Amino acid sequence: METNSFELWVPRSMMAYVNYKYTTENFLDSQRGVVVLYYPKDGGDALRPEYMLEALAIHKNLTETLTGAELGVGFNTLCQRVTSELPCEYFNIFGVPPFDYDSDNVQAIANAGAVHSTIQTFADVTGAPLKVYLGGIGENETTGELTSASVIRMTWALNQENTTDPLRPDLEAEAMDFEATVQDTYLWEWRDTPSRLGNIDMLTTRSIDDEIGRLIQVDSTLFVMSIMAIVFILCMSLVKTGPNCCVNSRVVVGTSAFVIIMFSIVFSFGMMGHFGLPINSICTLICFVVAGVGVDDMIVVENFFQKAVDAGIPRGERMNYALRHGGLSVFLTSSSSVLAFLSGVGLDIPGIAQFCTVGALCFAWIWFQSITFFPAVLVLDQSRIEAKKVQCQCCCIRPALPTTAEKAEAAPPKDEVKSTAVGEVLTPILTSPVFRLLIPLLFTAFAGLNGYATTLNGTGLSVSDVVPDDSYIVELTETTDEYWTGKIIRGMIIVFKGDHYSDAQKVQEMDDYFTWVESLDYIIGTVGGSQSTWYKEYVSYLESNSLDRYDDFSANLSAFLSDPDYKKWRASVTCTTEYDTCTEIKCAKFDVVQTSKIDTFELFGIQMELNDKIIEDFPDGYAFIDEFGYADADSTIEESVVVTLSIAVAVVCALMSGLMDTGSAVCIFICVIFIDIDLLGMLYFWNVKLSSVAFTGLVMSIGLSVDYNVHIAHAFIHGKGNTLQEKTKNALDGMGVPVLKGGLTTFVGTVVLSMASSTAFRIFFKVCFGTVVFGVLHGIFLMPVLLGFYVEMFGQLNTASAKVGTSEK
């Protein structure tokens, strides 16, 4: 199971992913972290003494006494630092001198009424951006001095792996255990203690993965509900009425659908594991899809098999009849689903490619079972019926059952389709001259409206969308929106590759870039902030030793990086050799604080602005934060949707053209295009932005929307009838009920997702809902009208019998 969201949803070819890989491979502080937002319950000033002391108690408990529940590993063991002899790094207000993490100092400063002025002095001297530590800041309108703050933001950095100390093992497992303990202590226990003066919101590096895991666990009951509801509906549709209902009903056949669905799910995930292919949490959505769609082919096979029985066709020929009449339709719909999923397997976004791979495997196996396992169950069940045995009680016999010969006498002639309410009601409407013109116009106008809406839709998916609605992550996001006006404080890095620091001109260009960066409205403070930068510190080191910053730069680099007072800067500098012999820099990074809304469109603009500027003088340089990766992904999502859907439609239509007549393929192509446009427009009207979740649903919709149209087209073209009315009624009588029944089961299989506990799952429901509704409407209403124009235009109304005869041969 792949859980790293960056590895799942960021295209591998994008600039942000390339920069991400370079950053993690070349810099030493691969870190995890814990963020706590503390704010008074009464909404007052968080810098009042009683609140400061309670917040300080959180800090002292976490940094000095809190340890992992099982491993006994505390923050001091796991904290971010280059080597073990260096102190841990904290990023919260209690690092402001003279607080010094000491409650007595805090109390003394509070008693003197100097908390605000002390913090303000620190900010003025060091240039530290107070927005990093405080939210909802109040200032004196005249002097601009700090007067209050609504939230105290405390951050602790944890090393996942310390690559600078070979004696220290990988600490990822210990860090994750520590984070779990932090969550249990400060999220649940704190909130269960009414005497606390303040509230807290918290986030750890493992939080999102934990909450997504909880989401799957919470919504796992929906999987069971979905499959059981579908099987129930299918069984009910196979229940017969009358005196022999206990014998004639096919409830066992309907129940076998559950076995087939589960076999398909197990097969797809098992094959992924067999070939060592990763999966992600979104892949679990395939259970809903296959549960709703997987029974469609079984419904078609059962429909034609029952017709063969009703027509008195003898044993040994019934399944031949069923597969001869429904086999091509089943093959086309199943192949379309498989091909639609396969079109996304090669995508550059691994998460979507994994979902599409699971989907292709699942639908391929369910098709195989639909023409092997399911027909066998049908034949065995029919043998039970003819033996007059009650289902589920095969030893019980009901003698009132008519014989096959008696049934054949009362049955309609072979190949004659029974009249249905669908055919009786819709045929006059769909063959009326007025409606034959009005229906295509309405569908075209609706597609045009949705096509315009598509151009207005945005992109993106926030963190709060992929976790449960009641998640503490959502609460943290809401607090951030309230007190930081919707903007997130992020640490960003600027990376320069190569060693240009002995060149005065290049250093000046670097300084000019930094000056320009600091002038941007989304940058807080200066490059390096209160922590300074390795370059500033090194220049000071050289000057303090009466050395030249350019001529002596390389010769003294190893001494600087080995000095205990400066050793921490190894985290920012990577040499071409070991640090003890370093004379040349391979790459170096400079920290800066960035703030902006959780909006990938805005972040993409920031990424491009920063990087376009840097490459003017430093072609190998880049600015990077993790969110740039998601911004990159969303910047290409529209193009990816268009390209992938186009490929899927083209492949499906090529399949139709090869196995069906050209007219049917063209009509199916028109309907599928209209359905896709309607789906994209529906997303806008339903306030759903394009994202990886919506993308997976759209890829899936190609194969599903084809189903409803292929069945009707096949029945229309290859059915009997010498007039338009006869062919339309024959198609609706033969396939109208199975199409509606298939649409109902698909809808039931996915409607359960509307009760899901996260926005992401509900987005998937919306796409599936639109696919079913638009697919059925186009298949039942638009497809017969388009086919009617086609057969009239090419004079094929009188060739139906010949087509049927050829098909049977």
Side-chain angles (χ1 to χ4, degrees):
M1 176 70 75
E2 177 62 70
T3 58
N4 187 325
S5 58
F6 209 92
E7 294 288 351
L8 285 173
W9 308 113
V10 178
R12 300 294 175 87
S13 61
M14 299 301 290
M15 174 176 61
Y17 185 81
V18 174
N19 292 341
Y20 159 77
K21 295 300 290 186
Y22 188 88
T23 300
T24 56
E25 290 171 1
N26 287 280
F27 293 105
L28 303 178
D29 55 342
S30 175
Q31 67 178 19
R32 305 180 66 89
V34 178
V35 177
V36 173
L37 303 182
Y38 173 87
Y39 49 98
K41 291 181 178 180
D42 63 6
D45 182 11
L47 302 182
R48 288 167 54 186
E50 60 270 30
Y51 300 130
M52 288 280 287
L53 290 172
E54 190 170 64
L56 177 60
I58 295 176
H59 170 79
K60 291 174 71 67
N61 191 358
L62 189 147
T63 55
E64 296 179 8
T65 62
L66 189 65
T67 59
E70 297 179 0
L71 302 175
V73 176
F75 176 75
N76 287 329
T77 306
L78 300 166
C79 68
Q80 176 182 323
R81 51 189 170 194
V82 177
T83 56
S84 57
E85 71 269 14
L86 294 177
C88 293
E89 294 185 15
Y90 311 106
F91 301 93
N92 61 61
I93 202 65
F94 299 108
V96 176
F99 291 148
D100 295 330
Y101 315 107
D102 189 288
S103 55
D104 291 336
N105 291 346
V106 172
Q107 186 65 62
I109 295 172
N111 292 339
V115 172
H116 300 87
S117 60
T118 300
I119 298 174
Q120 184 68 61
T121 300
F122 171 82
D124 293 340
V125 172
T126 64
L130 288 181
K131 288 184 179 180
V132 176
Y133 307 108
L134 303 173
I137 295 175
E139 296 178 340
N140 185 293
E141 295 182 359
T142 304
T143 63
E145 293 181 348
L146 176 69
T147 58
S148 65
S150 302
V151 185
I152 298 175
R153 182 176 186 265
M154 298 179 283
T155 304
W156 297 266
L158 304 176
N159 262 359
Q160 171 180 314
E161 180 181 7
N162 191 322
T163 56
T164 62
D165 188 350
L167 299 178
R168 185 177 181 184
D170 188 319
L171 295 176
E172 180 178 6
E174 289 87 342
M176 293 184 69
D177 182 76
F178 177 75
E179 290 172 18
T181 304
V182 172
Q183 291 173 183
D184 292 339
T185 300
Y186 286 110
L187 190 62
W188 311 121
E189 292 184 10
W190 183 280
R191 295 183 175 186
D192 291 338
T193 307
S195 61
R196 303 291 188 187
L197 299 176
N199 291 321
I200 65 166
D201 294 326
M202 189 204 61
L203 184 71
T204 72
T205 304
R206 65 174 294 165
S207 292
I208 296 177
D209 288 343
D210 284 352
E211 288 298 278
I212 291 177
R214 185 170 70 88
L215 170 66
I216 299 298
Q217 184 178 10
V218 169
D219 289 343
S220 61
T221 55
L222 298 180
F223 291 83
V224 179
M225 291 172 55
S226 171
I227 295 175
M228 297 305 295
I230 287 169
V231 172
F232 176 78
I233 290 176
L234 183 60
C235 290
M236 290 300 98
S237 70
L238 297 176
V239 170
K240 308 296 182 182
T241 58
N244 298 317
C245 60
C246 293
V247 175
N248 293 337
S249 298
R250 297 189 186 277
V251 175
V252 173
V253 173
T255 306
S256 69
F258 175 79
V259 178
I260 292 176
I261 291 169
M262 296 309 299
F263 278 5
S264 301
I265 294 171
V266 171
F267 172 80
S268 59
F269 282 93
M271 293 302 290
M272 294 290 284
H274 178 72
F275 291 106
L277 301 174
I279 58 175
N280 61 82
S281 57
I282 297 296
C283 292
T284 57
L285 290 172
I286 203 65
C287 300
F288 292 95
V289 180
V290 74
V293 181
V295 299
D296 290 3
D297 292 343
M298 291 176 261
I299 291 173
V300 172
V301 173
E302 190 279 334
N303 177 64
F304 282 107
F305 183 81
Q306 187 61 51
K307 288 180 181 180
V309 174
D310 294 340
I313 296 175
R315 286 186 178 185
E317 297 181 20
R318 296 165 183 166
M319 190 54 66
N320 179 34
Y321 172 90
L323 294 180
R324 187 172 70 248
H325 284 73
L328 178 60
S329 182
V330 168
F331 174 75
L332 288 172
T333 55
S334 298
S335 300
S336 298
S337 296
V338 173
L339 290 174
F341 279 109
L342 286 176
S343 67
V345 170
L347 283 173
D348 196 28
I349 304 176
I352 298 177
Q354 292 164 17
F355 174 82
C356 290
T357 303
V358 170
L361 289 169
C362 203
F363 277 91
W365 195 245
I366 206 167
W367 169 77
F368 177 75
Q369 293 179 98
S370 297
I371 61 173
T372 53
F373 180 84
F374 185 73
V377 173
L378 263 178
V379 171
L380 289 173
D381 191 65
Q382 184 61 30
S383 298
R384 173 195 59 80
I385 293 175
E386 293 179 355
K388 306 174 186 178
K389 295 180 179 179
V390 179
Q391 58 183 340
C392 302
Q393 300 176 18
C394 297
C395 59
C396 299
I397 298 177
R398 294 292 296 270
L401 188 71
T403 64
T404 303
E406 293 172 338
K407 215 171 186 183
E409 291 178 3
K414 184 179 177 180
D415 285 349
E416 182 177 326
V417 179
K418 281 185 177 181
S419 180
T420 64
V422 176
E424 293 287 349
V425 173
L426 293 182
T427 298
I429 297 174
L430 299 180
T431 56
S432 166
V434 174
F435 282 98
R436 290 186 69 197
L437 293 176
L438 185 60
I439 288 175
L441 288 176
L442 288 175
F443 277 90
T444 302
F446 189 65
L449 173 64
N450 284 311
Y452 172 72
T454 299
T455 64
L456 305 177
N457 208 350
T459 60
L461 192 69
S462 69
V463 173
S464 58
D465 290 335
V466 299
V467 296
D469 295 335
D470 62 352
S471 172
Y472 57 87
I473 295 177
V474 176
E475 297 179 8
L476 181 137
T477 302
E478 292 174 349
T479 301
T480 301
D481 289 342
E482 180 179 358
Y483 294 109
W484 277 272
T485 63
K487 295 185 177 181
I488 295 294
I489 306 295
R490 307 175 179 89
M492 187 176 69
I493 62 171
I494 299 170
V495 176
F496 294 101
K497 300 179 185 178
D499 193 336
H500 62 266
Y501 304 96
S502 298
D503 186 332
Q505 180 179 348
K506 298 300 291 183
V507 170
Q508 183 59 51
E509 291 171 352
M510 181 181 71
D511 289 339
D512 291 343
Y513 177 75
F514 288 159
T515 301
W516 174 79
V517 167
E518 292 165 358
S519 69
L520 299 172
D521 56 4
Y522 49 81
I523 298 297
I524 300 178
T526 60
V527 175
S530 60
Q531 302 294 317
S532 189
T533 68
W534 70 271
Y535 182 72
K536 291 179 181 177
E537 294 294 304
Y538 186 37
V539 170
S540 298
Y541 172 85
L542 291 173
E543 291 176 348
S544 65
N545 288 281
S546 302
L547 298 171
D548 185 79
R549 62 186 300 185
Y550 301 113
D551 295 339
D552 299 316
F553 185 91
S554 299
N556 294 274
L557 193 56
S558 62
F560 169 75
L561 294 174
S562 299
D563 190 308
D565 292 335
Y566 302 104
K567 207 171 187 178
K568 68 175 184 178
W569 295 114
R570 288 186 178 187
S572 299
V573 177
T574 299
C575 298
T576 57
T577 62
E578 297 294 330
Y579 286 106
D580 292 338
T581 59
C582 178
T583 59
E584 183 179 5
I585 293 177
K586 177 184 177 182
C587 55
K589 70 182 182 73
F590 298 81
D591 296 317
V592 64
V593 177
Q594 187 266 352
T595 180
S596 61
K597 294 182 179 180
I598 308 176
D599 184 290
T600 53
F601 180 80
E602 180 177 334
L603 280 171
F604 181 75
I606 292 173
Q607 176 188 220
M608 297 308 296
E609 182 179 25
L610 290 171
N611 286 291
D612 286 347
K613 179 71 172 179
I614 199 172
I615 62 176
E616 292 178 5
D617 298 315
F618 302 92
D620 291 331
Y622 62 87
F624 176 76
I625 51 175
D626 284 352
E627 285 85 351
F628 281 172
Y630 309 112
D632 262 355
D634 287 340
S635 71
T636 62
I637 199 75
E638 294 178 351
E639 180 182 353
S640 297
V641 167
V642 172
V643 171
T644 303
L645 294 187
S646 298
I647 293 174
V649 170
V651 171
V652 168
C653 288
L655 176 67
M656 300 299 162
S657 300
L659 297 176
M660 299 182 71
D661 58 285
T662 305
S664 299
V666 171
C667 293
I668 292 171
F669 173 78
I670 293 173
C671 287
V672 172
I673 291 295
F674 276 18
I675 292 170
D676 285 340
I677 294 174
D678 291 340
L679 282 174
L680 289 168
M682 179 203 68
L683 296 181
Y684 170 76
F685 289 112
W686 217 334
N687 196 29
V688 175
K689 295 181 179 181
L690 279 179
S691 65
S692 54
V693 176
F695 192 0
T696 55
L698 290 169
V699 172
M700 173 205 67
S701 70
I702 295 292
L704 307 192
S705 61
V706 167
D707 289 14
Y708 311 107
N709 296 278
V710 167
H711 291 315
I712 296 296
H714 185 266
F716 188 99
I717 294 299
H718 296 284
K720 288 184 175 181
N722 294 322
T723 66
L724 178 62
Q725 288 77 9
E726 291 176 355
K727 290 185 74 65
T728 302
K729 189 173 187 304
N730 183 80
L732 294 176
D733 284 340
M735 293 305 300
V737 172
V739 165
L740 291 175
K741 191 186 296 183
L744 177 62
T745 56
T746 304
F747 177 78
V748 170
T750 55
V751 73
V752 183
L753 279 173
S754 64
M755 299 181 287
S757 55
S758 81
T759 300
F761 278 12
R762 292 195 294 271
I763 289 174
F764 200 81
F765 154 71
K766 293 175 182 179
V767 177
C768 292
F769 172 84
T771 301
V772 173
V773 172
F774 295 140
V776 170
L777 289 177
H778 283 75
I780 294 294
F781 289 94
L782 182 59
M783 179 58 68
V785 173
L786 294 179
L787 290 170
F789 285 123
Y790 165 67
V791 296
E792 284 184 340
M793 185 179 301
F794 292 95
Q796 296 186 2
L797 281 175
N798 296 322
T799 63
S801 298
K803 284 179 176 291
V804 174
T806 302
S807 175
E808 291 180 354
K809 291 177 184 179

